[in-house]
Amino acid sequence: MERMMMKGNEAMAEAALRAGCRFYSGYPITPQTEILEYLSWRMEEVGGEFVQTESELAGINMLYGAAAAGARGLTSSAGPGFALKQEGISYLCAADLPAVLIDVMRIGNGLGDIAQGQGDYWQLTRGGGNGDYRTIVLAPASVQESADLIVDAFDLSEKYLHPVIIGSDAAIGQMMEAVTLPEWRTHDIDQYEWSVKGCKTGDIQRRITNICFTTAPDYENFLRNKYQTITEQEQRWESIETEDASVILVAYGISSRVAKEAVRMGRERGMKLGLIRPITLWPYPEKAFEKLPANLKGFLSVEMNILGQMTDDIRLASKDRYPVAFYGTFFEVPQTEEILRRAEQMMNSTREG
């Protein structure tokens, strides 16, 4: 294994190649452009195909074609660019095709701005395309985890024949850290019975469509079972100091790193803080909330958005048995001292109540 200093975005790009990815289609947009820039030269070195498309719409639809052919394919974007991919994501789900997408989140709705943010949570976990679907969403909190989860994303996408999204953010994508890169894997584009392949005259053509519900037997139960299986088997999280916590912080991505520091500092000051860090944003790690301490006063969701987009999932996971407070930032990363102040305030208010 190789160990080196890399940006989060570049580590994801290199790890994708090592996982067997040989097709990329996408369009530059800050703060994910390093993924595209890196693959623009590196993909050719490993014998793959790189396409800088004329738009994000073209990028997602080219990915659809590569996935239908059985390739391990990737696209990436951020902010308004990722919003444009939503219809294509719903088509990938409808066609039961494996593919990996990266959303390096930035702040704001509409055009927004290029700074780090976590305002795409609802779009990532609920979807912005038409129909009845959800996608697996993995949220890295370090450069190392960015590389590791890309490999997992390709495996999961092929396990369930379903798109998988990496929900990164500008801070994780732009920071440099030491990373141990994964070993190289090979991927046979022709290994799947379902994929589109060339055929000779007279052979029956194999087609990939997004109208499986009209042709596949018992498609309704097939879909129900797919989403139920993913929900039951693929929940991932990290729990820190939750066994005796009075307040449990809930955070992912760059916010979770600040929250982890807050737990450490709070404990040094005699505050019983814990942290649940969702690694899968969907399926949301409800199992992390099953065994909670008897003295728990409530949860504090720490996010980089102003609407508290994860708070509903915390309430659902905890069966609405505890108060859920929210601390959100917009232009800056959450501050440790502010987390501690709000956690202490929450402890005091619940005691008084």
Side-chain angles (χ1 to χ4, degrees), residues 155-202:
D155 290 343
L156 288 169
S157 72
E158 290 169 358
K159 178 180 179 180
Y160 293 104
L161 297 183
H162 205 72
V164 177
I165 301 174
I166 302 292
S168 184
D169 58 65
I172 299 294
Q174 297 291 325
M175 70 168 54
M176 292 192 70
E177 292 182 321
V179 56
T180 300
L181 294 169
E183 299 288 350
W184 288 92
R185 296 189 187 182
T186 58
H187 177 77
D188 180 8
I189 193 173
D190 295 320
Q191 67 184 289
Y192 301 113
E193 185 277 333
W194 51 261
S195 66
V196 173
K197 302 176 179 68
C199 60
K200 299 178 181 179
T201 303

Side-chain angles (χ1 to χ4, degrees), residues 70-339:
R72 283 196 160 187
L74 174 70
T75 191
S76 61
S77 195
F82 188 72
L84 290 172
K85 295 181 183 290
Q86 297 308 303
E87 181 184 50
I89 294 172
S90 71
Y91 271 60
L92 285 165
C93 291
D96 299 307
L97 288 175
V100 175
L101 304 90
I102 300 171
D103 178 20
V104 184
M105 287 182 277
R106 57 194 242 181
I107 66 167
N109 54 346
L111 182 61
D113 206 339
I114 62 175
Q116 68 276 332
Q118 293 177 325
D120 292 351
Y121 183 88
W122 282 331
Q123 184 172 235
L124 288 167
T125 58
R126 269 65 178 175
N130 57 294
D132 203 12
Y133 77 95
R134 291 185 111 168
T135 55
I136 300 171
V137 184
L138 305 172
S142 66
V143 174
Q144 182 64 63
E145 202 167 41
S146 296
D148 294 341
L149 290 181
I150 279 286
V151 178
D152 292 346
F154 281 107
D155 290 343
L156 288 169
S157 72
E158 290 169 358
K159 178 180 179 180
Y160 293 104
L161 297 183
H162 205 72
V164 177
I165 301 174
I166 302 292
S168 184
D169 58 65
I172 299 294
Q174 297 291 325
M175 70 168 54
M176 292 192 70
E177 292 182 321
V179 56
T180 300
L181 294 169
E183 299 288 350
W184 288 92
R185 296 189 187 182
T186 58
H187 177 77
D188 180 8
I189 193 173
D190 295 320
Q191 67 184 289
Y192 301 113
E193 185 277 333
W194 51 261
S195 66
V196 173
K197 302 176 179 68
C199 60
K200 299 178 181 179
T201 303
D203 290 348
I204 298 175
Q205 294 182 349
R206 195 177 278 116
R207 297 175 181 175
I208 298 288
T209 72
N210 71 327
I211 54 170
C212 293
F213 61 89
T214 66
T215 58
D218 202 19
Y219 189 65
E220 180 179 344
N221 281 330
F222 165 77
L223 279 184
R224 289 182 190 277
N225 291 336
K226 174 192 270 194
Y227 288 114
Q228 183 177 356
T229 301
I230 293 172
T231 299
E232 291 175 351
Q233 297 187 6
E234 303 304 339
Q235 295 180 35
R236 302 185 186 188
W237 71 92
E238 179 185 13
S239 293
I240 299 172
E241 302 278 7
T242 57
E243 295 81 4
D244 63 343
S246 296
V247 170
I248 294 178
L249 312 176
V250 187
Y252 66 94
I254 191 63
S255 298
S256 70
R257 295 175 67 140
V258 183
K260 188 177 292 188
E261 181 183 52
V263 170
R264 178 183 60 78
M265 291 178 61
R267 291 276 172 169
E268 290 173 355
R269 300 178 189 182
M271 299 173 62
K272 291 186 176 181
L273 292 182
L275 170 65
I276 292 175
R277 177 176 74 92
I279 298 173
T280 49
L281 302 186
W282 194 84
Y284 198 73
E286 297 176 354
K287 295 177 183 179
F289 296 79
E290 289 178 352
K291 296 181 180 180
L292 298 170
N295 63 319
L296 182 64
K297 306 298 183 185
F299 299 96
L300 176 60
S301 185
V302 182
E303 309 175 49
M304 286 189 295
N305 58 64
I306 62 172
L307 294 178
Q309 295 186 23
M310 188 169 58
T311 56
D312 286 344
D313 282 333
I314 298 171
R315 291 188 180 96
L316 289 169
S318 62
K319 298 180 172 55
D320 207 18
R321 292 176 294 166
Y322 304 90
V324 178
F326 167 62
Y327 166 40
T329 60
F330 195 66
F331 284 103
E332 61 182 15
V333 173
Q335 301 298 303
T336 306
E337 288 295 339
E338 183 63 16
I339 294 175

Side-chain angles (χ1 to χ4, degrees), residues 12-37:
M12 284 192 287
E14 178 65 24
L17 298 178
R18 290 167 180 253
C21 175
R22 292 298 180 269
F23 180 84
Y24 174 91
S25 55
Y27 189 79
I29 180 172
T30 305
Q32 65 82 45
T33 302
E34 289 88 355
I35 298 171
L36 181 141
E37 290 177 338

